[in-house]
Amino acid sequence: MTANHVRFLAKTVLVRDNKIEPRKERYEKPFLKRNRLAYERCRRIYDAEMQRKIEFVMRKNRPDPFLR
């Protein structure tokens, strides 16, 4: 590389598949990563449980609990 190429190397933007979306990458501290992963894990469990309850309530062929 010549001196002119080295000057512009840090100012270039790599484009893939004609997508020029800016990348938002930043350092994540380890405790923040642990907190985020724990939150995502809890959220997945909560969502799965809520979906199971909704499917139970929406069932049509369950027996009537209030028989007279």
Side-chain angles (χ1 to χ4, degrees), residues 25-37 40:
E25 294 180 7
R26 59 182 177 81
Y27 178 74
E28 188 175 24
K29 291 186 177 180
F31 81 95
L32 290 174
K33 183 176 182 180
R34 282 193 303 272
N35 290 349
R36 179 179 56 82
L37 293 175
E40 290 173 357

Side-chain angles (χ1 to χ4, degrees), residues 3 5 10 12 14 16 19-20 23-24 26 28-30 34-35 37-40 42 44 47-48 52 60 64 67:
H5 288 102
T12 57
L14 299 177
R16 290 188 181 142
K19 295 180 183 175
I20 311 176
R23 298 175 110 194
K24 297 180 180 177
R26 59 182 177 81
E28 188 175 24
K29 291 186 177 180
R34 282 193 303 272
N35 290 349
L37 293 175
Y39 172 78
E40 290 173 357
C42 290
R44 275 195 305 272
D47 288 345
R52 187 182 69 79
K60 304 245 187 238
D64 186 15
L67 292 176

